[in-house]
Amino acid sequence: DGETVSKTFSVQDYVEAVVADDRFPDELKDLCKKLINYGHYAQLMTAPVREWTIGEDYPEIMVYFAPTVTDDVFADDTFKVEKTGSSDQVTRVTLSLALDHKTEVYMYLTADTEPEVTVDGEAAAVYLMEDGRYRAVIPGVPSYLLAEKHTVIVNGTLTYSLSALCYVPMVLNSSSFSENDKNAVKALYEYYDASVAYLEYLSGSND
């Protein structure tokens, strides 16, 4: 009577509860499984970089199954970075993804001076790194929009069209990345794919 009851649970607890409950649709169960799979492989990918000890600094995240998406999926132009123009001040541009807190696209620029960068017409945050490069950020990309292309303009004359998922084939096609790295980006794609499928299910159920 008027008593407040609180319960602490993790995302993994929620996922396990959804997967075990027949009241939830298969599309949501699949999304939950692939969310946890992504978390598992992203943890394996980022732990060595961040010098985390899994099981001590953070609990180990479970996994339902290994990623099954095949490399040929990423041959489509959807996953290619398009570049036009140039900038005399910029000598090198590389891409990366942040997977340890929220999905962000990082663009690293080797430039003589701090570049002016816009993302989809808005000024982007640009940071000077310890190694002298500059980092521009496409912030917090929701899972269902990971394939959406963004227009990045550097110094008004160098233009890139890219999505977060453009990074996936870069990892898969490079021998410098580990098997954990490749599984992480595959799991990211499968999480995206399940997110889109679940939204389509919701749209259909509301018709």
Side-chain angles (χ1 to χ4, degrees), residues 17-39:
V18 169
V19 170
D21 195 327
D22 291 338
R23 293 175 297 174
F24 293 108
D26 290 340
E27 290 82 0
L28 178 57
K29 292 183 180 185
D30 188 53
L31 173 59
C32 286
K33 287 178 181 178
K34 288 176 178 174
L35 166 62
I36 285 295
N37 280 359
Y38 165 54

Side-chain angles (χ1 to χ4, degrees), residues 111-133:
D112 299 330
T113 58
E114 181 174 327
E116 295 182 3
V117 182
T118 63
V119 177
D120 299 329
E122 300 292 331
V126 178
Y127 305 92
L128 177 62
M129 310 299 292
E130 290 184 0
D131 62 8
R133 294 181 301 167

Side-chain angles (χ1 to χ4, degrees), residues 86-153:
S86 62
S87 172
D88 293 340
Q89 290 78 38
V90 178
T91 57
R92 180 176 169 82
V93 177
T94 56
L95 297 177
S96 183
L97 285 184
L99 302 180
D100 56 345
H101 53 296
K102 54 186 175 181
T103 305
E104 294 184 329
V105 182
Y106 290 166
M107 176 177 277
Y108 292 96
L109 304 105
T110 302
D112 299 330
T113 58
E114 181 174 327
E116 295 182 3
V117 182
T118 63
V119 177
D120 299 329
E122 300 292 331
V126 178
Y127 305 92
L128 177 62
M129 310 299 292
E130 290 184 0
D131 62 8
R133 294 181 301 167
Y134 294 92
R135 185 179 75 192
V137 180
I138 300 176
V141 185
S143 59
Y144 64 95
L145 293 179
L146 288 172
E148 182 177 87
K149 288 286 186 82
H150 299 273
T151 300
V152 181
I153 301 177

Side-chain angles (χ1 to χ4, degrees), residues 184-205:
V185 296
K186 284 183 176 181
L188 174 65
Y189 170 79
E190 291 187 348
Y191 174 39
Y192 151 77
D193 195 46
S195 298
V196 172
Y198 180 57
L199 286 178
E200 289 175 351
Y201 162 79
L202 291 177
S203 177
S205 64

